[in-house]
Amino acid sequence: MQFVAVLDSAVDQWSWSDTTLAERRDGSGQSLNAIALNALAAGTVTITASRQGVTGHATLVIRKPEPGEAWEAIDLGSLVGGASGMATAIGDNGIVVGTIDSADAPNASWSFMYKDGAIHKLPATGRFETPARISPTGRILGIVNDTTDRLVIWDTPDAAPRRFGGHDGIATIVGINERGEVLLTTRSDSSPYSSRAVLWRQNIRVDLGDLSDSTVANPSTSASAWNNRGQIVGASYVRTVTHTDGLAPTFVQHPFLWENGIMRDLGVLASRPCTQVATPGDCGSAVAADINASGVIVGYADGADGKKRAVIWENGVIRDLGVDPGHNTWASAINDRGQVLVFSEGYGQVFLWENGQLQSTTLMSGRVLGPNGEVVGTWCPSMGADPGDCTLYIWQAGRMTALGPGAPIALNAHGEIVGWRECCSHKRPMLWRLSTAP
């Protein structure tokens, strides 16, 4: 077990009361704003941070894990003797998909499916496919490169994949729902570049449209998330602002909600006057990043001070979540309980916001928010650290559990995590889950 403490400024010295119960994990100097401790035995430890004669204390209670609380890390590549790879998605039924390099043929890779201890190749089209999402009904959505990227679906793990869609370049796949509808953002293949939010429904391509006025030469829209009600959120360019000082133009983007074929501008948090322009205008921008089953939306928007602010839209009204005023903050995810994942640039860490209350996860990178308030992310000894030196954690209700080195990609409803682990100068596809052993 490991414990991480993070402050918003450097300290002169860290200390803790009992070195038989905890030891420092990193070997760096003492004038840092963070400390990581390895738990050695059960007991109570007092941690002290000192800075310019001022001290602060925190009490750490180390307890023995209860039966069934142990996590296991499964290297999926080792099951087939593969070298490098990555797990890319996990369904609520426990199916894991990803890609792995062949141990027998150099420069050859294949897509895999794993469940209940067994791993096998997914049928291929003759070109290399990358599985990316799993629908609630078990369909697997991926990408195949055929001159340009195209979509491919495995209707079952044993069925040959079928290609569909056009030859749009694929920027981001949002997901595939229980009806087999696919939401993604496409990109143009040549300059001038632009993006489009596209919904594939019954093999018919639906372009969600845009909010652009006549100043935007290449209208662009990006989809970020959707829910089972068919509501889609993202961002779209609304205008292009040309500056008089010769600098590149500003592309002002607004958040949108798309529903029943209609795209609605959600508006921004505050007006931000454009600078160095011939005609006064508003350059205030915002982005909608996620939406939950109730239609509550989160994202970020320019504040009155010019900083990015984590925001929430409820019933069409935008408001600042109030996290770390004076610094850039972003809300990246919301679950159906209304819990919001927020990153603060000032603190350099991730918070969980709920009903106006804020809890620090002490994670430097919170990649995934679970349905019950789980936050999965990493803590590294320093910014820009080698990925192999970073530790994967799961945080919930104030409790952090270290899962060893690794990086998360996805989490299912049962708390199972997939991603990759840096090993021997390459990545290994990984699954982390609670052990079923007594």
Side-chain angles (χ1 to χ4, degrees):
M1 179 183 296
Q2 297 178 347
F3 170 80
V4 180
V6 181
L7 299 178
D8 61 353
S9 60
V11 301
D12 297 327
Q13 184 176 20
W14 291 95
S15 61
W16 55 102
S17 59
D18 195 330
T19 56
T20 65
L21 299 181
E23 65 178 359
R24 187 160 189 167
R25 175 174 176 258
D26 57 46
S28 54
Q30 297 295 309
S31 56
L32 298 171
N33 71 331
I35 188 172
L37 297 177
N38 287 330
L40 303 176
T44 301
V45 178
T46 300
I47 301 171
T48 301
S50 302
R51 183 173 184 268
Q52 297 180 359
V54 178
T55 60
H57 306 281
T59 300
L60 171 64
V61 178
I62 305 170
R63 63 178 182 83
K64 293 181 179 179
E66 298 293 334
E69 288 185 325
W71 283 79
E72 58 179 336
I74 303 173
D75 184 335
L76 302 178
S78 67
L79 300 179
V80 291
S84 179
M86 182 181 299
T88 55
I90 182 169
D92 290 342
N93 57 4
I95 290 178
V96 180
V97 296
T99 61
I100 195 163
D101 290 344
S102 172
D104 303 320
N107 302 317
S109 300
W110 44 273
S111 302
F112 72 83
M113 189 206 77
Y114 167 91
K115 187 179 182 183
D116 299 331
I119 188 170
H120 71 265
K121 294 182 181 180
L122 288 170
T125 63
R127 293 179 179 268
F128 178 61
E129 298 88 16
T130 302
R133 299 288 188 274
I134 303 174
S135 79
T137 59
R139 286 175 171 169
I140 301 169
L141 174 68
I143 302 172
V144 60
N145 186 274
D146 184 6
T147 307
T148 58
D149 292 340
R150 293 191 66 176
L151 297 170
V152 63
I153 282 184
W154 291 265
D155 290 308
T156 69
D158 298 319
R162 56 183 175 89
R163 303 182 194 187
F164 76 101
H167 283 276
D168 292 315
I170 299 172
T172 304
I173 293 180
V174 176
I176 177 171
N177 63 20
E178 60 186 9
R179 296 180 294 276
E181 298 169 341
V182 174
L183 178 64
L184 71 155
T185 298
T186 68
R187 62 172 181 268
S188 59
D189 292 327
S190 58
S191 180
Y193 298 101
S194 63
S195 59
R196 305 302 297 174
V198 172
L199 176 66
W200 279 96
R201 177 186 289 163
Q202 297 178 346
N203 210 32
I204 297 175
R205 184 185 190 275
V206 180
D207 188 307
L208 302 192
D210 56 74
L211 302 173
S212 301
D213 66 13
S214 60
T215 65
V216 182
N218 298 288
S220 289
T221 301
S222 298
S224 301
W226 59 347
N227 62 17
N228 287 333
R229 295 163 57 179
Q231 297 173 309
I232 300 171
V233 297
S236 179
Y237 289 152
V238 295
R239 71 182 67 91
T240 303
V241 177
T242 302
H243 299 280
T244 57
D245 56 4
L247 293 178
T250 296
F251 299 100
V252 180
Q253 60 182 343
H254 280 195
F256 71 82
L257 171 65
W258 186 94
E259 187 174 12
N260 298 324
I262 299 174
M263 179 178 288
R264 180 163 61 90
D265 191 330
L266 291 172
V268 297
L269 182 65
S271 174
R272 184 166 65 90
C274 301
T275 59
Q276 301 294 328
V277 292
T279 304
D282 185 4
C283 282
S285 292
V287 171
D290 199 13
I291 183 170
N292 68 9
S294 301
V296 182
I297 303 164
V298 297
Y300 56 92
D302 291 337
D305 59 357
K307 301 290 186 181
K308 301 295 183 187
R309 304 298 306 151
V311 295
I312 188 169
W313 289 267
E314 290 185 275
N315 300 318
V317 178
I318 184 175
R319 60 190 174 95
D320 191 331
L321 292 180
V323 179
D324 192 12
H327 293 100
N328 290 318
T329 58
W330 299 267
S332 60
I334 182 171
N335 61 21
D336 291 345
R337 297 174 58 176
Q339 298 168 312
V340 182
L341 195 63
V342 181
F343 179 78
S344 164
E345 184 181 61
Y347 287 96
Q349 61 176 285
V350 175
F351 294 86
L352 185 72
W353 181 97
E354 183 176 11
N355 296 324
Q357 302 298 313
L358 204 63
Q359 296 184 71
S360 171
T361 69
T362 71
L363 293 167
M364 297 173 70
S365 170
R367 298 293 183 86
V368 184
L369 174 64
N372 299 305
E374 312 98 320
V375 179
V376 182
T378 56
W379 189 90
C380 304
S382 63
M383 296 297 290
D386 186 278
D389 296 330
C390 299
T391 300
L392 174 67
Y393 283 88
I394 182 168
W395 177 98
Q396 187 174 20
R399 179 183 171 192
M400 287 184 67
T401 303
L403 307 183
I409 291 179
L411 168 77
N412 69 8
H414 305 294
E416 297 170 312
I417 305 162
V418 294
W420 55 271
R421 172 178 290 177
E422 193 84 14
C423 173
C424 317
S425 75
H426 56 259
K427 295 179 173 65
R428 305 287 295 184
M430 297 295 299
L431 166 66
W432 293 270
R433 66 185 181 190
L434 282 170
S435 173
T436 56

